Amino acid sequence: GLQNTTSFESIRVTSSSFMKGAVERMAKGDIDQAFAENTLKELELYEKYYKEYLKEIPNDYHANVNLVYLYYLKTFLGKNSIQEARVLIDSSYKLSPGNILTYQMDALLYLYEGKISEAERVIKEAIALLPEIKTSYEILAHIENQKKTFPEISFLPLEGL
């Protein structure tokens, strides 16, 4: 199994680098059917590893948040995974209270659910908690922009996951 943290670490690194590459393409809007299908297949493979690992070590905050991000990508590529992500967001708040990353992911999930006022509320909480974090302001601006194009929502890549 993946109870061995070192064996999981290599999966985490590989999946992060895969997601980073996919995100770069997605951010450019360079998405066709083949890309979406192949990326989803790959993400589902990583998802299996993450779930297996989290079954053994449920308190790993970073694994939780990485899996939330993976669900965020899947959702953007057409495979709605908001419900799965929601469950993990709730446990992420408990695992690392006050961690800004949780608020940022939560706000983006609300945005994808079409709950724009919730998204704004959560990201403003993040800004109130840690006003020096630039990414939170970028997410707020992104949410504001999406109001104009809603229900079409564009992809926002997150740095440093």
Side-chain angles (χ1 to χ4, degrees):
L2 286 170
Q3 59 280 53
N4 177 341
T5 315
T6 29
S7 69
F8 179 72
E9 188 53 25
S10 64
I11 300 270
R12 199 189 64 73
V13 169
T14 314
S15 70
S16 292
S17 110
F18 173 77
M19 289 196 275
K20 193 175 177 355
V23 162
E24 281 165 12
R25 274 194 68 174
M26 289 161 71
K28 285 186 212 135
D30 182 12
I31 308 171
D32 58 23
Q33 194 60 38
F35 170 78
E37 283 169 15
N38 292 332
T39 304
L40 279 169
K41 265 191 210 122
E42 193 83 15
L43 289 174
E44 277 162 8
L45 186 70
Y46 288 124
E47 176 186 358
K48 212 175 71 190
Y49 286 123
Y50 272 99
K51 284 163 117 174
E52 199 178 301
Y53 173 76
L54 284 167
K55 229 182 266 164
E56 315 240 348
I57 306 176
N59 294 343
D60 185 326
Y61 173 77
H62 284 286
N64 263 283
V65 171
N66 283 355
L67 186 52
V68 170
Y69 195 53
L70 186 150
Y71 286 137
Y72 170 65
L73 299 185
K74 276 181 71 175
T75 300
F76 189 78
L77 291 168
K79 188 106 192 228
N80 189 322
S81 307
I82 299 276
Q83 290 321 112
E84 295 92 326
R86 257 294 136 236
V87 172
L88 290 168
I89 279 288
D90 293 344
S91 62
S92 296
Y93 277 118
K94 291 182 193 94
L95 288 175
S96 187
N99 193 315
I100 286 305
L101 196 49
T102 308
Y103 289 84
Q104 293 173 342
M105 293 300 307
D106 195 11
L108 289 170
L109 286 174
Y110 276 126
L111 179 62
Y112 276 84
E113 287 176 287
K115 297 177 180 171
I116 294 179
S117 57
E118 285 296 300
E120 278 180 314
R121 180 187 59 76
V122 170
I123 203 61
K124 284 176 178 169
E125 277 178 37
I127 290 168
L129 268 174
L130 280 176
E132 67 278 12
I133 305 291
K134 279 202 306 279
T135 309
S136 297
Y137 296 96
E138 288 163 14
I139 292 172
L140 180 59
H142 182 68
I143 292 166
E144 299 290 339
N145 286 333
Q146 301 310 299
K147 282 180 176 175
K148 299 171 197 137
T149 61
F150 193 80
E152 194 171 299
I153 291 174
S154 64
F155 181 74
L156 180 73
L158 278 187
E159 290 298 309
L161 269 168

